[in-house]
């Protein structure tokens, strides 16, 4: 690739550890109001409330409504949110996929993390005014939303990627919200 401007160095001398503060852009409205019965992952709905994916929505603040233009054309979105009810974390955790073994926190999707940021891929069923109607929530009602990004299959899906310590432990589970 040929550059039209000279290369610039924006990183040398920036080794400090800054802290950040974020203001939510909206809130999740979910049928799940307690941790028990809430899906652990968006596509896994057995042994949760009603044993199926339940509809919910993301309500954005009115000043962000214009940002929803064209979002209805996408089948899925990434929702970046805050685990606002969690306190503390451990660097080793026990996964429900292998409860007899402790594994490193960053090799899991455990919600108790040093930076309590969550990420869920949700199916969009409708977009109207300041609301995104979705299926596949694994998020509690009232959870603050930091950002919404479209799911783009060519850049976001890597079906042949290795699954680390989960290899052979997780059965392929069908995506219950995929249109047939």
């Amino acid at each position: 690739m040929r550059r039209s401007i000279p290369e610039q160095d924006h990183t040398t001398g920036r080794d400090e550890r800054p802290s950040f503060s974020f203001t939510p852009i909206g809130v999740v409205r979910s049928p799940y109001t307690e941790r028990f019965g809430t899906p652990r992952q968006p596509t896994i709905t057995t042994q949760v409330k009603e044993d199926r994916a339940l509809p919910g929505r993301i309500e954005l603040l009115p000043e962000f409504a214009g940002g929803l233009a064209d979002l209805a054309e996408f089948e899925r979105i990434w929702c970046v949110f805050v685990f606002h009810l969690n306190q503390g974390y451990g660097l080793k955790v026990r996964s429900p996929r292998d409860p007899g073994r402790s594994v490193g926190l960053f090799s899991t999707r455990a919600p108790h993390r040093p930076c309590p940021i969550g990420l869920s891929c949700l199916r969009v069923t409708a977009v109207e005014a300041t609301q995104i109607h979705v299926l596949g929530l694994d998020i509690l009602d009232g959870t603050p939303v930091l950002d919404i990004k479209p799911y783009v299959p060519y850049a976001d899906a890597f079906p042949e990627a290795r699954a680390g310590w989960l290899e052979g432990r997780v059965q392929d589970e069908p995506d219950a919200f995929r249109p047939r």
Side-chain angles (χ1 to χ4, degrees):
M1 178 175 99
R2 193 170 170 174
R3 295 177 57 104
S4 60
I5 59 173
E7 187 173 332
Q8 301 174 36
D9 181 351
H10 296 285
T11 59
T12 300
R14 295 187 179 257
D15 294 333
E16 72 272 2
R17 290 176 35 173
S19 68
F20 298 92
S21 174
F22 297 98
T23 301
I25 62 167
V27 66
V28 171
R29 293 297 172 213
S30 169
Y32 307 111
T33 58
E34 62 174 324
R35 290 178 180 134
F36 180 78
T38 300
R40 290 184 183 270
Q41 299 295 325
T43 60
I44 302 172
T45 57
T46 56
Q47 298 181 343
V48 300
K49 189 175 186 176
E50 296 188 29
D51 286 322
R52 64 186 180 95
L54 298 176
R57 66 188 183 281
I58 297 168
E59 294 179 350
L60 296 187
L61 296 171
E63 61 263 37
F64 300 114
L68 292 178
D70 307 309
L71 188 63
E73 296 175 26
F74 290 86
E75 181 177 328
R76 294 184 177 271
I77 57 168
W78 290 108
C79 177
V80 181
F81 60 92
V82 178
F83 288 111
H84 67 298
L85 300 177
N86 291 355
Q87 296 177 354
Y89 64 93
L91 295 177
K92 290 282 204 168
V93 299
R94 293 189 190 276
S95 167
R97 297 289 181 205
D98 191 356
R101 174 181 173 197
S102 290
V103 295
L105 171 67
F106 299 121
S107 72
T108 74
R109 293 186 174 189
H112 295 273
R113 311 187 77 78
C115 291
I117 296 171
L119 177 69
S120 286
C121 187
L122 308 173
R123 181 167 178 225
V124 176
T125 59
V127 177
E128 57 185 23
T130 59
Q131 298 182 16
I132 308 166
H133 295 267
V134 298
L135 276 177
L137 285 169
D138 58 344
I139 310 169
L140 292 175
D141 187 58
T143 296
V145 174
L146 299 178
D147 200 6
I148 301 295
K149 298 179 185 297
Y151 175 90
V152 182
Y154 76 85
D156 294 344
F158 300 92
E160 302 304 318
R162 289 180 291 119
W165 64 269
L166 288 170
E167 291 285 341
R169 289 184 173 82
V170 179
Q171 296 176 338
D172 289 335
E173 299 186 54
D175 182 347
F177 344 110
R178 193 96 171 109
R180 303 217 187 273

